[in-house]
Amino acid sequence: MFPTVRPQRVMYQDEARFGRISDTRYCWAKKPLHPEVKAMLIYQYTYAYAAVSPQDGRMDSLVLPEVSSKCMQIFLNEVAQRYPDENILMIKDGAGWHKSYHLQLPENLRLLFLPPYSPELNPQEHIWDELREKYFHNPGL
């Protein structure tokens, strides 16, 4: 499977979208006024790529502007460079950019795919849930 025998590291990988959407709100005014509130919907997102290793709890992450095979390649290269003396088995879901034919796997990294519709098998999903609940929640709702 790997061309060089080295210690093996198992990592679970996933991406998450963080951002904001502005929306229109009602406003108060005295009768008979009917104010016009101009609003522009704004969509601003950034994407966090991360991989966690259950063996020792290490997590590696990058914040990138989109989910694409180009950004996935950047992430895979970065993780492989962070563990040059280990072979990495990265387990992930079957998103299109995870299976792109354009991906060139680093010499010390291999991919293994989870069954479809099984996010509960990926520990990285639980980290996203924790981040959203504790740090990115909307207290105004």
Side-chain angles (χ1 to χ4, degrees), residues 23 25 132-133 135-141:
D23 58 1
R25 299 284 182 187
R132 285 192 170 103
E133 179 184 324
Y135 302 103
F136 291 96
H137 65 285
N138 187 349
L141 294 178

Side-chain angles (χ1 to χ4, degrees), residues 43-69:
Y43 298 93
Q44 292 178 326
Y45 299 114
T46 191
Y47 297 85
Y49 287 67
V52 65
S53 177
Q55 296 167 249
D56 56 8
R58 288 195 58 181
M59 185 173 96
D60 294 281
S61 63
L62 284 178
V63 175
L64 297 168
E66 62 189 17
V67 285
S68 64
S69 55

Side-chain angles (χ1 to χ4, degrees), residues 75-133:
F75 180 73
L76 294 176
N77 292 343
E78 180 65 27
V79 171
Q81 288 175 5
R82 291 180 186 182
Y83 302 98
D85 300 326
E86 298 180 60
N87 287 329
I88 303 163
L89 179 61
M90 190 171 286
I91 302 168
K92 50 178 55 199
D93 61 30
W97 54 90
H98 294 171
K99 294 183 171 187
S100 170
Y101 293 109
H102 300 292
L103 289 179
Q104 296 179 355
L105 295 180
E107 177 267 328
N108 66 330
L109 194 141
R110 296 294 177 267
L111 303 179
L112 182 65
F113 295 98
L114 291 167
Y117 309 105
S118 58
E120 68 279 358
L121 299 178
N122 190 341
Q124 183 60 48
E125 294 278 358
H126 302 293
I127 294 172
W128 298 138
D129 292 341
E130 186 79 5
L131 278 170
R132 285 192 170 103
E133 179 184 324

